[in-house]
Amino acid sequence: MFIFLYLLLFIPSPDLFPEQVFGPQYHLWPIITGLLITVAGQIIRGATIGLAYIIRGGKNGKVYAEDLVTTGLFRHCRNPLYVGNVLMLFGVGVLSNSLIYVLVVMPVFFFIYQTIVLAEENFLLKKFGYSFVMYCKAVNRWLPSLTGIKATFASMRFKWKRWLIKEYNTQYIWLSGIACLLLLEYPQLTGFDDEKRNLWLAIILPLLLIYYLSIRYLKKSGRWKND
């Protein structure tokens, strides 16, 4: 799904931040704003995975869960991973300076996630009953609460290996997309020099592939365990 949504970033679209309105340095607006949003999404996903482990979110194409997870960032939001996903994609949409992506693709994407969440909540209600009802009363579905966030981080150990093992595939696609957007959509960053742009692509993309293959090897070989 992420790969398909990333391809939509490159469809022709009116600018979200047009030069006529934001001036000759208009490109800085989508770059800075988009990066802040999308990085925030990855931070939320990383913190969620590193602090509280979900054994499974699905099994055989159906909603599945062994336990009702209410620790880590799940104390502050019922769907922190989905919030992270939405922010990551919304951020790259802003980064692409695409009005169509932000106003058309993102609402469709959010609608899809909302239907997934409702299906999951229906399953959790049937399985965990009163415990899930009380959890829903205490924690928002989408809007994270920062109340007690410091205590949450202080009370748990962040497992960075688990974060990398669970996220390396997403990170590889995400970072590759960001690199391509920055270098292909904003020639200003390389002084309108195609050779310099191609050189940066030839350096960054192989490095990201090496990162992906390295984490994959550590995972598949059992040197790093997903605990």
Side-chain angles (χ1 to χ4, degrees):
M1 190 176 189
F2 268 76
I3 295 175
F4 173 72
L5 290 167
Y6 264 50
L7 291 176
L8 294 179
L9 292 168
F10 295 93
I11 63 175
S13 168
D15 288 344
L16 182 64
F17 297 94
E19 183 177 4
Q20 300 90 329
V21 177
F22 292 89
Q25 299 298 315
Y26 75 99
H27 62 284
L28 296 178
W29 287 86
I31 290 174
I32 295 172
T33 306
L35 286 176
L36 287 174
I37 295 172
T38 195
V39 170
Q42 175 55 208
I43 290 173
I44 291 173
R45 278 189 60 86
T48 303
I49 294 167
L51 292 177
Y53 180 49
I54 305 173
I55 295 177
R56 292 191 71 92
K59 188 176 183 180
N60 299 325
K62 297 180 180 180
V63 180
Y64 177 82
E66 290 188 0
D67 301 296
L68 180 61
V69 181
T70 60
T71 57
L73 289 196
F74 290 92
R75 292 178 57 190
H76 306 274
C77 177
R78 301 208 303 265
N79 301 284
L81 287 173
Y82 293 163
V83 171
N85 287 346
V86 170
L87 288 176
M88 286 174 69
L89 281 171
F90 180 67
V92 293
V94 173
L95 180 62
S96 70
N97 203 19
S98 172
L99 187 65
I100 289 178
Y101 197 91
V102 170
L103 296 185
V104 178
V105 176
M106 283 307 305
V108 172
F109 176 65
F110 185 77
F111 172 77
I112 292 171
Y113 256 146
Q114 178 70 0
T115 61
I116 293 172
V117 167
L118 293 177
E120 291 178 344
E121 290 186 349
N122 183 56
F123 169 85
L124 294 171
L125 179 61
K126 291 178 180 177
K127 182 163 186 176
F128 299 107
Y130 181 73
S131 297
F132 183 67
V133 171
M134 296 307 295
Y135 175 60
C136 290
K137 287 183 178 181
V139 181
N140 295 330
R141 174 184 288 155
W142 287 106
L143 186 63
S145 170
L146 297 180
T147 303
I149 191 72
K150 185 176 180 181
T152 296
F153 279 95
S155 65
M156 303 183 73
R157 182 169 63 89
F158 181 81
K159 297 184 177 181
W160 62 273
K161 285 184 180 179
R162 184 170 70 200
W163 167 52
L164 293 179
I165 289 173
K166 295 279 287 182
E167 279 292 273
Y168 75 97
N169 190 49
T170 298
Q171 288 176 347
Y172 172 65
I173 297 172
W174 175 62
L175 291 172
S176 296
I178 288 175
C180 290
L181 279 175
L182 288 173
L183 292 169
L184 296 176
E185 295 290 323
Y186 299 103
Q188 300 94 328
L189 298 178
T190 52
F192 296 92
D193 187 331
D194 289 348
E195 290 187 3
K196 186 183 289 186
R197 176 202 65 196
N198 294 339
L199 176 62
W200 276 111
L201 285 171
I203 293 172
I204 293 173
L205 295 182
L207 285 175
L208 290 174
L209 181 59
I210 291 171
Y211 164 76
Y212 169 83
L213 294 174
S214 298
I215 302 298
R216 182 178 176 81
Y217 167 75
L218 291 169
K219 175 184 178 180
K220 297 296 183 181
S221 67
R223 292 172 184 263
W224 280 8
K225 298 202 175 185
N226 184 18
D227 55 2

